[in-house]
């Protein structure tokens, strides 16, 4: 028949969908299709009553034999009823059984479904396949066994036998025998539904002498108990505290030598809300390892707000047996992963054939609750030594740094300058630091950094996480030379500020945070680039345009030299990014983002290179020649003035007054010199030349003055400014304005290079002959002219 059409059982041209044949009956039938195995299954049910008579103990036969049955999927069912005080035992010859979950299937199609009985209630013990470790199952008060055989398998034996046993006083006992290394996964009765209320179930494990066994719970639930307590009990050879009682949430025993028992005990459940008790666990049997006899002490008693987890690395699953890796506390409580809490001391041993299959992750929180106490305090971000002496690799160590909102910010200072990981210059070290914001809704990843760069300090606005990530086993040697210190500093508005001192030999590559996803909306980041006095910095951007389209607000980049305060403002949405430019002084680069439209992002990459500062030879020659000519002119002028002074000294009393109380600082300007003029002696003169006193007489015919040079300009060598340039308002639509580097700020008066001296004539008040001035030269009577 065509596929998809119904198939029927035909008896004398009559069609049936099912057929029941009782004992002693004979019926002839056929099928209306060519593939009846896809439509029908034959069930052979046999009831055995051990309450009214003797049980047919021994090997169970397949009756009728499979050879006389149609080639259909066959299911043999044996239902054995027994008294409550009678125990029945199912014995399985080779191959032994392997328990499977409710959604699993057997590779060869042969399935054993075993159930027990509590009064009139049937309890499912489990479903099993071939090629496992289960050798016997003991039950009380009867058993129901169903053997499913596929239609293509020619098998004439059941593979099990029934034996009589004394009362076991529990629901069932499952025996699991190991002949070598291996593992077994077993489940509680009725799994994944609830274990029967107030019942007891036991597993017996037979372990060869040279091997060790470890138990780990894969999945479990506990019910709501009114009386007693749900628990597991172990009978372990050599234990002085048998039975050893554990809660289901406890770490289970490991590294056990010899046979042992594991029992699951239920409780009296709450009638209104009983809950579900269930358990799925694994027993791993393997050879003892060298590390199993070594104990490591980890002292975390002085640590606070820290947790350490030792767990397996992610690996690909393999069908071959793989010995397990267990971490044991106090040599008996073992698990595939262990979490160590701060404030305590721990003893650890390992049951693992290859410790590289394990790694360690840790997390610590440093928080500031009172900004008055935390301000200016520093803490070292170091891994505790006890963790580094463990024989497993440290994968991640994360520090969560928390500060009061709008009160404090964070500054990270490395012992060795850091390099930002970029595609142009990737980190090739054994460890690195990853930094990201932990503020809810602030998806800001600052980047990955390693030692060997030019970043001296990183300042973060709010809460962040710093994660030390290792890549090579030798990271411990490199880590000893690296230290990261965090300080609590006054709050600032930038999301992050990077202090950079470029290397004279290498390019310094820098990129905006969130490189893969783009700088978050309305975020701002600054770089403080220090340029040595004998160097010139070249600033280069990777792209000509950002391709940014703003939905709200504007995106700007500001480049500001710290010495001249000249700002160059660029619209990142409209303008072309600057070509490579040379910077002779330290400068700021500030980038502020808008709210971009969907699909657009702001990501900028730039680099800084240093070259030695050179002086133009032509300019130097002109300056020398010009300076010499000016010197000769000044000497001649002084001689002329002295002669003229001697001729006109009798024309009146003119005294030069030096006033040292004059304010030498420009208004509204910060003091840029480390040492003020009142603190040094550059304004003190032993002798004041006549030309200084009578400078007003040097006026030439066209009314201009020849003023002598009274001071020499020296380049500023003091500290650079700390604050980054303030960006324009984000939502401003004002046109972009560029200022030349040599153009002063419009609201700052120009600095004067002349010395602040005051020259005046002495004056007398009317009716008074008192002289209030301080003469600097002796007064001589004028000579009378010869007649």
């Amino acid at each position: 028949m065509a596929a998809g059409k119904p198939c029927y059982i035909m008896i004398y041209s009559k069609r049936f969908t099912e057929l029941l044949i009782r004992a002693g009956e004979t019926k002839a039938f056929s099928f209306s299709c060519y593939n009846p195995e896809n439509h029908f299954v034959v069930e052979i049910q046999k009831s055995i009553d051990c309450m009214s008579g003797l049980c047919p103990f021994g090997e169970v036969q397949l009756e009728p034999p499979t050879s006389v049955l149609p080639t259909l999927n066959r299911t043999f069912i044996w239902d054995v009823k027994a008294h409550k005080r009678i125990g029945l035992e199912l014995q399985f010859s080779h191959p032994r059984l392997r328990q499977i979950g409710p959604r699993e299937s057997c590779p060869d199609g042969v399935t054993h479904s075993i159930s027990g009985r509590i009064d009139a209630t049937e309890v499912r013990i489990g479903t099993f396949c071939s090629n496992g470790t289960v050798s016997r199952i003991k039950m009380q008060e009867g058993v129901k066994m169903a053997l499913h055989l596929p239609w293509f398998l020619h098998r004439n034996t059941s593979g099990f036998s029934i034996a009589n046993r004394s009362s076991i006083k529990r629901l069932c006992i499952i025996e699991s025998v190991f002949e070598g290394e291996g593992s077994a996964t077993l489940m509680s009765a009725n799994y994944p539904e609830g274990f029967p209320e107030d019942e007891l179930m036991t597993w017996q494990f037979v372990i060869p002498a040279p091997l060790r066994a470890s138990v780990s719970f894969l999945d479990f639930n506990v019910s709501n108990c009114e009386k007693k307590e749900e628990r597991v009990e172990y009978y372990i050879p050599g234990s002085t505290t048998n039975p050893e009682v554990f809660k289901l949430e406890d770490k289970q025993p490991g590294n056990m030598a010899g046979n042992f028992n594991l029992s699951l005990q239920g409780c009296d459940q709450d009638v209104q809300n009983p809950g579900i008790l269930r358990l799925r666990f694994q027993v791993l049997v393997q050879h003892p390892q060298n590390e199993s006899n070594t104990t490591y002490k980890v002292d975390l008693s002085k640590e606070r707000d820290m947790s350490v987890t030792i767990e397996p690395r992610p690996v690909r699953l393999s069908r071959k047996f793989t010995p397990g890796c267990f971490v044991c506390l106090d040599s008996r409580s073992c698990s595939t992963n262990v979490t160590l809490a701060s404030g305590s001391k721990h003893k650890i041993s390992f049951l693992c054939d290859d410790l590289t299959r394990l790694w360690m992750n840790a997390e610590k929180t440093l928080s500031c609750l009172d900004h008055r106490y935390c301000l200016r305090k520093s803490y070292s971000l170091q891994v505790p030594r006890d963790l580094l002496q463990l024989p497993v690799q440290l994968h991640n160590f994360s520090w969560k740094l928390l500060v009061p909102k709008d009160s404090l910010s964070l500054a990270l200072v490395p012992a060795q300058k850091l390099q930002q990981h970029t595609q142009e210059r990737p980190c090739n070290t054994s460890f690195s630091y990853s930094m990201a914001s932990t503020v809810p809704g602030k998806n800001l990843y600052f980047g990955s950094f390693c030692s060997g760069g030019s970043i001296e300090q990183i300042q973060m606005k709010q809460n962040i996480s710093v994660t030390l990530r290792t890549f090579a086993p030798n990271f411990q040697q490199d880590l000893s030379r690296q230290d990261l210190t965090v300080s609590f500093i006054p709050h600032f508005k930038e999301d992050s500020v990077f202090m950079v001192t470029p290397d004279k030999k290498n390019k310094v590559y820098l990129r905006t945070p969130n490189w893969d996803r783009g700088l978050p909306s309305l975020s701002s980041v600054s770089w403080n680039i220090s340029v040595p006095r004998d160097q010139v910095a070249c600033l280069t951007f990777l792209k000509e345009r950002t391709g940014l389209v703003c939905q709200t607000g504007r995106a700007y980049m500001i480049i500001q030299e710290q010495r001249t305060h000249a700002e160059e403002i660029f619209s990142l949405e409209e303008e072309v990014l600057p070509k490579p430019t040379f910077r002779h002084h330290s400068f700021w680069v500030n980038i502020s983002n808008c709210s971009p439209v969907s699909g657009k992002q702001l990501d900028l990459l730039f680099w800084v290179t240093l070259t030695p500062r050179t002086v133009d030879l032509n300019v130097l020659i002109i300056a020398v020649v010009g300076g010499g000519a000016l010197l000769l002119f000044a000497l001649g002028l002084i001689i002329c003035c002295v002669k003229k002074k001697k001729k006109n000294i009798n024309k009146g009393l003119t005294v030069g007054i030096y006033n040292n109380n004059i304010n030498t600082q420009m208004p509204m300007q910060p003091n840029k010199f480390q040492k003020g003029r009142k603190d040094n002696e550059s304004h003190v003169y032993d002798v004041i030349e006549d030309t200084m006193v009578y400078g007003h007489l040097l006026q030439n015919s066209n009314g201009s003055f020849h003023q002598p040079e009274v001071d020499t300009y020296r380049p500023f060598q003091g500290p650079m400014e700390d604050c980054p340039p303030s960006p324009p308002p984000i939502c401003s639509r004002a046109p972009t304005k560029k200022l030349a580097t040599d153009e002063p700020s419009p609201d700052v008066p120009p600095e004067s290079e002349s010395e602040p001296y005051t020259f005046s004539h002495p004056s007398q008040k009317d009716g008074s002959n008192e002289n209030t001035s301080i003469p600097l030269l002796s007064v001589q009577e004028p000579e009378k002219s010869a007649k």
Side-chain angles (χ1 to χ4, degrees):
M1 294 178 65
K5 291 185 178 181
C7 185
Y8 299 100
I9 302 173
M10 306 298 297
I11 302 179
Y12 299 114
S13 301
K14 293 183 179 180
R15 297 186 301 183
F16 298 90
T17 56
E18 64 179 19
L19 177 63
L20 176 61
I21 304 176
R22 300 182 183 277
E25 295 181 348
T26 301
K27 290 185 179 181
F29 59 90
S30 62
F31 298 99
S32 64
C33 59
Y34 295 102
N35 53 348
E37 65 275 3
N38 295 333
H39 301 272
F40 295 97
V41 60
V42 57
E43 288 187 358
I44 300 93
Q45 298 186 9
K46 185 175 183 178
S47 296
I48 302 175
D49 188 0
C50 295
M51 299 180 67
S52 58
L54 296 177
C55 287
F57 297 125
E59 185 177 354
V60 177
Q61 301 294 327
L62 295 180
E63 296 178 351
T66 57
S67 57
V68 301
L69 295 174
T71 55
L72 302 176
N73 294 329
R74 291 148 287 174
T75 301
F76 292 87
I77 300 174
W78 295 270
D79 189 359
V80 182
K81 297 180 181 180
H83 198 275
K84 288 185 178 182
R85 294 186 298 271
I86 297 177
L88 297 177
E89 177 182 292
L90 302 179
Q91 298 179 351
F92 301 94
S93 58
H94 290 286
R96 300 189 178 103
L97 302 185
R98 174 176 61 89
Q99 190 171 7
I100 61 174
R103 290 180 295 273
E104 296 180 77
S105 59
C106 299
D108 58 1
V110 179
T111 303
H112 302 74
S113 297
I114 304 173
S115 300
R117 183 177 288 106
I118 300 177
D119 297 328
T121 304
E122 184 177 316
V123 179
R124 187 176 67 257
I125 303 301
T127 303
F128 301 83
C129 299
S130 304
N131 299 325
T133 61
V134 175
S135 59
R136 291 189 296 178
I137 298 179
K138 304 174 186 178
M139 283 170 289
Q140 191 160 315
E141 197 181 346
V143 60
K144 187 175 183 180
M145 170 73 180
L147 173 63
H148 175 78
L149 301 176
W151 65 272
F152 54 82
L153 182 66
H154 301 284
R155 177 174 171 176
N156 295 320
T157 59
S158 65
F160 72 96
S161 60
I162 300 178
N164 184 19
R165 288 291 179 264
S166 59
S167 174
I168 58 175
K169 299 181 180 179
R170 62 199 68 201
L171 174 63
C172 69
I173 299 175
I174 298 178
E175 183 184 73
S176 181
V177 178
F178 289 85
E179 296 181 351
E181 288 188 322
S183 64
T185 300
L186 298 161
M187 285 150 267
S188 58
N190 278 347
Y191 186 89
E193 284 77 27
F195 186 70
E197 181 180 9
D198 194 23
E199 281 295 333
L200 178 64
M201 181 177 181
T202 299
W203 293 267
Q204 294 178 339
F205 297 97
V206 179
I207 311 298
L211 302 181
R212 304 290 179 88
S214 299
V215 177
S216 57
F217 286 179
L218 304 178
D219 176 39
F220 68 88
N221 282 81
V222 294
S223 59
N224 299 317
C225 297
E226 282 188 346
K227 297 180 180 179
K228 302 181 182 179
E229 184 179 9
E230 296 172 342
R231 64 190 184 274
V232 290
E233 298 179 354
Y234 289 87
Y235 279 84
I236 303 174
S239 175
T240 59
T241 59
N242 280 328
E244 295 190 13
V245 180
F246 292 81
K247 295 182 179 179
L248 274 74
E249 57 267 22
D250 291 341
K251 301 296 181 183
Q252 303 304 310
N255 200 23
M256 295 178 288
N259 305 336
F260 69 97
N261 293 353
L262 167 60
S263 298
L264 174 64
Q265 175 66 63
C267 67
D268 292 332
Q269 299 174 350
D270 185 357
V271 178
Q272 301 297 331
N273 185 20
I276 293 178
L277 170 62
R278 63 183 176 189
L279 172 63
R280 183 170 67 96
F281 65 97
Q282 182 185 63
V283 177
L284 185 66
V285 177
Q286 59 190 18
H287 289 284
Q289 310 301 321
N290 296 331
E291 289 292 337
S292 61
N293 296 326
T294 304
T295 302
Y296 298 89
K297 296 181 180 180
V298 179
D299 187 1
L300 302 180
S301 58
K302 297 181 180 180
E303 299 289 345
R304 296 293 180 269
D305 298 325
M306 187 176 79
S307 64
V308 181
T309 301
I310 304 175
E311 58 190 353
R313 294 172 180 262
V315 294
R316 294 181 179 179
L317 298 177
S318 175
R319 294 184 178 181
K320 296 181 179 180
F321 169 73
T322 302
C325 279
F326 291 90
V327 186
C328 302
L329 298 177
D330 298 325
S331 74
R332 181 56 63 82
S333 180
C334 301
S335 178
T336 55
N337 58 77
V338 169
T339 298
L340 310 177
S342 58
S344 303
K345 297 181 180 180
H346 307 273
K347 293 182 179 180
I348 299 176
S349 60
F350 297 93
L351 182 61
C352 184
D353 64 324
D354 184 6
L355 289 176
T356 60
R357 295 168 54 195
L358 296 173
W359 64 17
M360 178 169 44
N361 296 286
E363 183 178 285
K364 183 174 183 178
T365 301
L366 288 175
S367 60
C368 172
L369 301 178
D370 187 352
H371 68 278
R372 295 170 298 180
Y373 172 78
C374 303
L375 185 61
R376 306 297 181 187
K377 288 189 176 295
S378 300
Y379 300 91
S380 178
L381 304 185
Q382 288 187 331
V383 181
R385 292 183 178 179
D386 282 6
L387 298 183
L388 296 177
Q389 55 96 22
L390 293 177
V392 295
Q393 180 186 350
L394 175 65
H395 178 228
N396 284 340
F397 197 110
S398 297
W399 292 270
K400 288 189 175 180
L401 309 178
L402 309 179
V403 294
K405 184 179 181 181
D406 299 333
S407 297
L408 292 178
S409 294
L410 298 160
L412 296 170
V413 181
Q416 295 181 354
K417 291 188 291 186
L418 298 177
Q419 166 199 336
Q420 187 173 13
H421 174 81
T422 63
Q423 184 177 1
E424 291 72 17
R425 191 183 177 190
C427 285
N428 192 21
T429 55
S430 60
F431 70 94
S432 68
Y433 293 102
S434 297
M435 303 178 190
S437 172
T438 58
V439 178
K442 194 73 171 179
N443 186 16
L444 185 57
Y445 175 68
F446 297 104
S448 180
F449 305 86
C450 56
S451 57
S454 301
I455 300 176
E456 294 183 331
Q457 186 180 121
I458 304 176
Q459 297 179 0
M460 309 293 187
K461 177 182 178 181
Q462 293 180 353
N463 301 344
I464 64 168
S465 67
V466 179
T467 301
L468 169 68
R469 182 163 297 171
T470 65
F471 305 102
N474 62 337
F475 81 94
Q476 297 188 20
Q477 302 174 1
D478 300 334
L479 191 62
S480 61
R481 299 189 295 269
Q482 177 65 48
D483 185 17
L484 197 61
T485 302
V486 59
S487 302
F488 296 96
I489 62 176
H491 179 73
F492 57 88
K493 296 183 179 180
E494 301 284 324
D495 286 291
S496 60
V497 178
F498 296 86
M499 305 296 182
V500 183
T501 300
D503 188 354
K504 296 181 181 180
K505 298 181 180 180
N506 300 314
K507 289 183 181 180
V508 179
Y509 289 93
L510 300 167
R511 67 184 185 185
T512 51
N514 270 38
W515 175 256
D516 296 332
R517 300 181 297 275
L519 190 66
S521 300
L522 307 181
S523 296
S524 180
V525 59
S526 293
W527 291 266
N528 184 348
I529 314 295
S530 297
V531 181
R533 288 185 303 167
D534 60 342
Q535 300 288 317
V536 176
C538 181
L539 175 63
T540 307
F541 290 88
L542 176 65
K543 299 185 293 187
E544 292 185 357
R545 291 183 178 273
T546 63
L548 181 67
V549 178
C550 292
Q551 184 174 11
T552 58
R554 300 294 298 273
Y556 288 94
M557 178 175 68
I558 301 177
I559 302 176
Q560 180 187 42
E561 289 207 5
Q562 299 175 17
R563 178 173 175 179
T564 62
H565 296 277
E567 289 185 348
E568 300 175 45
I569 305 177
F570 302 89
S571 173
L572 297 177
E573 184 181 9
E574 301 170 352
E575 298 184 35
V576 177
L577 293 177
K579 299 292 184 180
T581 55
F582 291 94
R583 307 288 168 175
H584 294 75
H585 308 289
S586 299
F587 60 96
W588 286 97
V589 176
N590 172 268
I591 295 175
S592 300
N593 197 13
C594 61
S595 293
V597 299
S598 178
K600 299 294 182 180
Q601 64 181 28
L602 176 59
D603 49 2
L604 285 180
L605 173 69
F606 60 93
W607 57 88
V608 180
T609 55
L610 295 181
T611 56
R613 185 191 297 263
T614 59
V615 179
D616 193 340
L617 183 59
N618 295 331
V619 175
L620 182 60
I621 294 174
I622 294 173
V624 171
V625 173
L630 182 62
L631 178 61
L632 294 176
F633 176 77
L635 290 175
L637 186 62
I638 292 173
I639 295 173
C640 293
C641 291
V642 170
K643 289 182 179 180
K644 188 174 182 180
K645 181 265 297 186
K646 290 182 178 179
K647 292 180 180 180
N648 298 285
I649 196 171
N650 57 352
K651 290 187 178 181
L653 182 62
T654 303
V655 181
I657 305 300
Y658 169 65
N659 186 356
N660 61 354
N661 292 324
I662 297 292
N663 182 10
T664 62
Q665 300 295 327
M666 291 186 297
M668 305 302 292
Q669 286 291 315
N671 184 7
K672 294 186 176 182
F673 293 90
Q674 296 180 355
K675 187 174 183 182
R677 295 198 61 79
K678 65 180 180 178
D679 299 325
N680 60 34
E681 298 179 354
S682 62
H683 63 282
V684 179
Y685 295 84
D686 293 333
V687 176
I688 297 181
E689 294 291 338
D690 293 347
T691 56
M692 297 293 290
V693 180
Y694 301 100
H696 66 286
L697 300 178
L698 301 180
Q699 184 175 5
N700 55 19
S701 60
N702 60 5
S704 62
F705 287 88
H706 296 291
Q707 295 185 3
E709 183 180 356
V710 294
D711 200 357
T712 301
Y713 174 76
R714 294 179 177 86
F716 171 63
Q717 301 178 10
M720 294 299 178
E721 217 170 298
D722 293 332
C723 298
S726 299
I730 294 298
C731 58
S732 173
R733 301 298 298 182
T736 303
K737 181 179 180 181
K738 295 186 181 180
L739 300 180
T741 56
D742 56 351
E743 180 182 348
S745 178
D747 57 348
V748 179
E751 296 186 19
S752 173
E753 296 185 359
S754 60
E755 294 288 343
Y757 296 110
T758 301
F759 299 92
S760 63
H761 296 276
S763 61
Q764 294 181 355
K765 296 181 180 180
D766 295 340
S768 175
N769 295 324
E770 182 180 359
N771 186 6
T772 60
S773 63
I774 302 175
L776 297 180
L777 297 177
S778 60
V779 180
Q780 298 181 1
E781 292 292 336
E783 297 180 0
K784 295 180 179 180
S785 60
K787 294 183 179 179

